[in-house]
Structure formats: structure tokens, C-alpha cells
Amino acid sequence: MTEREFQAKLAELDRLLNDPEIRMDPDRVWALLAELSAQELQGVARA
């Protein structure tokens, strides 16, 4: 995942959690969290 994709996923997660105009989608929230945490773990493993 590129840095741009990572930032886009973070922005989407932020909108899902904080924008009252957007309907909460728990499955999408968990999917985004899984993708983001997997990416973070890969970054830690490389360091």
C-alpha cells in the first residue's frame, strides 16, 4: 500500500467515525482498521 492509499484509508476511517452525515458501517470500519494495522505491522517489521 502506498502512502497515498494509506492516507486515503485513514481519511475514510475518520469520516466514518466522525461525520454525523455519514451512516456508520461497522464492517467497513473493521476492514479499514485491519488493513491499516497490517500495513503498520509491515512497516515495523521492515524497520
Side-chain angles (χ1 to χ4, degrees):
M1 177 184 318
T2 67
E3 182 65 27
R4 177 176 266 181
E5 292 168 330
F6 186 82
Q7 292 301 322
K9 288 180 189 291
L10 277 177
E12 181 181 357
L13 181 61
D14 183 60
R15 279 191 307 276
L16 284 170
L17 294 174
N18 297 309
D19 189 341
E21 306 260 328
I22 295 179
R23 184 175 178 176
M24 175 63 76
D25 181 358
D27 290 334
R28 184 64 182 147
V29 169
W30 285 112
L32 285 167
L33 287 171
E35 290 178 44
L36 293 168
S37 64
Q39 182 68 23
E40 283 293 306
L41 288 174
Q42 287 178 355
V44 169
R46 289 185 206 148

